[in-house]
Amino acid sequence: MSTSTAPPPSAPAADDAEAANPAAPPRRPAERLRPRESSGSTRASKIIVTSILALVAIYFLVPVYWVVVASTKSTEDLFGTNGFWFAPTFSLWENLRAVLSYDGGVFVRWFLNSVLYAGIGGLIATYFAAAGGYALAMYEFKGKNLVFGTILGGVLVPGTATALPLFLLFSQMGIANTYWSVLLPSLVSPFGLFLCRIYAQETMSRSLLEAARIDGASELRIFHTIGLRLLTPALVTVFLFQLVGIWNNYFLPLVMLSDTSLFPITLGLNNWLSQVDRLPEFYELTTGGVLLSVIPLAMAMIVLQRFWRGGLTEGSVKA
């Protein structure tokens, strides 16, 4: 009984050449060169991107650093020492005490007003934006595109263009120079509604909503238990935009308010700054007040940024 063995596979031509000429250096496949080339280009792109981001970070952090340094100086040191370095006399705590105690603690009143305008206004505006964006994304009805186009038109209209008409309207309604005159315009966020609509279209599954309807859940319950959870990253973004926008808003309170007890921080600090010509000590009050006004925004950014990471997968459905 004879057995046949298969011939061994032929060696590549490169191996034959290397066997014929042992002194020749071994050939390196082109595939081995590509990863090194790509890694080098990737490393260079990372360096360029990191350098650009570092410059942008410096651009935004330098004013904050200056505020921190300036708030530790007296008026004499503010103009007599280097603006980007601390003075020999550390006056931060004295300046902050003067800010909080001046004129019976009016700065605390301005701070609470800003918390009211930005906090409540941002929360309600975010809820309205989520409800409107969810409805435009998940439901079909006549005039849907017209409504969405009108909202996009609202995004293009600057707030300064609507301040004077709103003042005339609120004056006729008798609510000018009240909390409502600043709070009511803050409850609307066309950009937030646009963002929630786009995000809902891309992330929410209609089959999930149909399953909830089959289980007997009402539309409001579906929105509050499923829709809001899936929209978490978009809601955090909208809330931060509204919070920062309302907190830093200056023109609308300037038009609407004349009572200093209703001023937000921005209008109050500008009121102090306008008096530095006759009372130089207002420089200390202004720089200290600016430092205190930055802290809530920084804390909100630090606390809420984790929802961008966690909210992307929260409430998702595994296939």
Side-chain angles (χ1 to χ4, degrees):
M1 182 175 181
S2 63
T3 59
S4 61
T5 58
S10 60
D15 295 343
D16 293 341
E18 291 179 2
N21 188 7
R27 296 184 179 181
R28 304 177 67 180
E31 291 78 10
R32 297 180 183 178
L33 297 177
R34 291 174 184 173
R36 294 191 177 183
E37 294 176 358
S38 61
S39 63
S41 61
T42 303
R43 185 179 304 172
S45 63
K46 286 183 179 179
I47 293 175
I48 295 174
V49 172
T50 303
S51 301
I52 295 174
L53 292 178
L55 292 176
V56 173
I58 293 173
Y59 175 79
F60 285 104
L61 291 178
V62 164
V64 179
Y65 171 76
W66 183 89
V67 168
V68 173
V69 173
S71 62
T72 64
K73 299 180 180 181
S74 62
T75 302
E76 294 78 9
D77 292 335
L78 186 62
F79 294 96
T81 60
N82 187 354
F84 290 95
W85 194 245
F86 298 92
T89 305
F90 190 79
S91 305
L92 175 62
W93 309 120
E94 291 79 1
N95 293 342
L96 294 183
R97 278 196 293 268
V99 169
L100 298 176
S101 61
Y102 179 79
D103 195 13
V106 68
F107 180 84
V108 178
R109 181 66 179 267
W110 295 340
F111 186 90
L112 294 177
N113 291 339
S114 292
V115 171
L116 174 67
Y117 298 140
I120 296 180
L123 285 174
I124 298 178
T126 302
Y127 178 81
F128 286 164
Y134 173 86
L136 289 173
M138 296 292 105
Y139 298 118
E140 298 293 336
F141 53 90
K142 292 183 179 180
K144 173 180 175 179
N145 294 330
L146 178 61
V147 172
F148 186 64
T150 305
I151 294 171
L152 287 181
V155 176
L156 302 177
V157 178
T160 54
T162 60
L164 185 57
L166 284 175
F167 173 75
L168 298 176
L169 176 63
F170 289 165
S171 297
Q172 294 178 356
M173 298 172 60
I175 61 174
N177 196 31
T178 64
Y179 285 110
W180 293 108
S181 60
V182 179
L183 189 58
L184 286 178
S186 304
L187 303 182
V188 180
S189 175
F191 171 76
L193 193 148
F194 166 76
L195 181 63
C196 289
R197 193 245 189 180
I198 299 300
Y199 192 86
Q201 281 184 333
E202 297 297 328
T203 59
M204 300 189 67
S205 173
R206 294 182 181 273
S207 59
L208 180 62
L209 304 184
E210 292 296 334
R213 294 188 182 102
I214 293 174
D215 290 339
S218 63
E219 295 298 327
L220 284 177
R221 184 177 180 184
I222 293 173
F223 169 68
H224 289 107
T225 58
I226 299 177
L228 291 181
R229 180 170 297 183
L230 294 177
L231 290 172
T232 297
L235 298 184
V236 173
T237 304
V238 173
F239 176 73
L240 283 177
F241 269 101
Q242 282 295 106
L243 180 69
V244 175
I246 300 172
W247 189 276
N248 295 329
N249 193 1
Y250 170 76
F251 189 72
L252 180 66
L254 178 65
V255 172
M256 295 293 179
L257 302 177
S258 59
D259 187 357
T260 57
S261 63
L262 303 178
F263 283 2
I265 286 182
T266 52
L267 204 56
L269 291 178
N270 186 76
N271 187 25
W272 282 354
L273 185 62
S274 63
Q275 304 181 51
V276 296
D277 293 335
R278 60 184 183 87
L279 296 172
E281 60 267 19
F282 273 96
Y283 279 113
E284 303 171 6
L285 297 177
T286 304
T287 54
V290 170
L291 178 63
L292 293 178
S293 68
V294 172
I295 294 176
L297 298 181
M299 292 178 60
M301 187 67 68
I302 294 173
V303 171
L304 295 178
Q305 67 176 350
R306 66 185 183 90
F307 289 98
W308 275 310
R309 299 189 300 268
L312 290 174
T313 56
E314 187 176 342
S316 59
V317 180
K318 183 178 180 181

